Amino acid sequence: MHIVIMGCGRVGSTLAGSLEARGHSVAIVDRNPDAFRRLRPGFEGSTVTGVGFDRDVLREAGINEAGAFAAVSSGDNSNVISARVARETFGITNVVARIYDPGRAEVYERLGIPTVATVRWAADQVLRRLLPEELETEWVDPSGTVRLAEVHIGQKWIGSPVRALEHASGTRIALINRYGQGLIPTGDTIVEEGDRVHAVIADTHIPQAVKVFTGRPTSAGLPAGADG
């Protein structure tokens, strides 16, 4: 996948290196050309000098071929504007914006702009949003047979009850993070847009479970009475 990053500070440069190490192509944008010195030696991606909400700059960075966009500069407004341009103008689905103000971040989340709003920044939190289909393990039991992981839930599951998702995937949904708040779901909890879902999965069942999570629910995958 080709991924465009706006902002070549410590987060942006770390993210660029992590993505490239995973085999993705990367273009990074910054208004200060000296910022590119933060990139790791041997960085093979492209660097573009300019602002991330300039459409011509984004085109130069390959936004038309991109599968994801991250706005991680030091400015909240620039990040949000850039994220909106990437999503609304260029149709990028996997978009994330770094926001320093947690209150504003919640507003943007409700507007459909995924954000990360923590001073204790971790680049892997951005990776989870840019590459949602990749299961991210958070804990493994001592025997190595069961794990807790954040999983991507496909659009077609939105509006379905947790029990339907558990029944179809053979997993247990342990936690939902909704607008920054933790929620322990019941079987009747409805999956909503923007939910970050954490599931307990047997190692041997991971490939099939991931297919179910990213696919669409069918009547065959729902427990009796759940599809009516």
Side-chain angles (χ1 to χ4, degrees), residues 63-221:
I63 195 70
N64 288 320
E65 294 77 41
F69 176 83
V72 293
S73 76
S74 59
D76 283 7
N77 290 335
S78 296
N79 288 342
V80 170
I81 293 171
S82 299
R84 292 193 63 180
V85 169
R87 170 166 286 181
E88 297 171 11
T89 301
F90 295 100
I92 306 299
T93 300
N94 295 334
V95 172
V96 60
R98 181 188 190 183
I99 304 296
Y100 286 86
D101 181 348
R104 295 171 70 183
E106 183 172 342
V107 173
Y108 295 133
E109 286 273 5
R110 293 182 181 278
L111 293 174
I113 302 173
T115 63
V116 176
T118 174
V119 175
R120 297 187 301 273
W121 181 267
D124 63 333
Q125 291 181 346
V126 183
L127 286 169
R128 294 184 186 192
R129 292 161 176 79
L130 293 181
L131 309 173
E133 289 78 14
E134 294 189 12
L135 181 147
E136 290 289 341
T137 298
E138 298 166 314
W139 175 86
V140 180
D141 85 302
S143 70
T145 58
V146 177
R147 67 186 60 223
L148 173 68
E150 181 176 343
V151 297
H152 172 66
I153 301 300
Q155 186 68 29
K156 293 298 183 178
W157 283 108
I158 304 304
S160 299
V162 161
R163 70 161 57 88
L165 184 56
E166 291 180 329
H167 181 83
S169 64
T171 67
R172 179 64 58 85
I173 306 304
L175 169 70
I176 292 176
N177 187 291
R178 182 171 291 168
Y179 303 125
Q181 298 295 317
L183 168 67
I184 298 177
T186 68
D188 293 326
T189 300
I190 300 299
V191 179
E192 295 185 4
E193 183 79 37
D195 280 354
R196 293 170 56 192
V197 176
H198 306 257
V200 178
I201 312 173
D203 261 21
T204 56
H205 199 59
I206 287 175
Q208 179 59 31
V210 170
K211 288 182 180 179
V212 172
F213 288 138
T214 57
R216 64 181 63 194
T218 64
S219 57

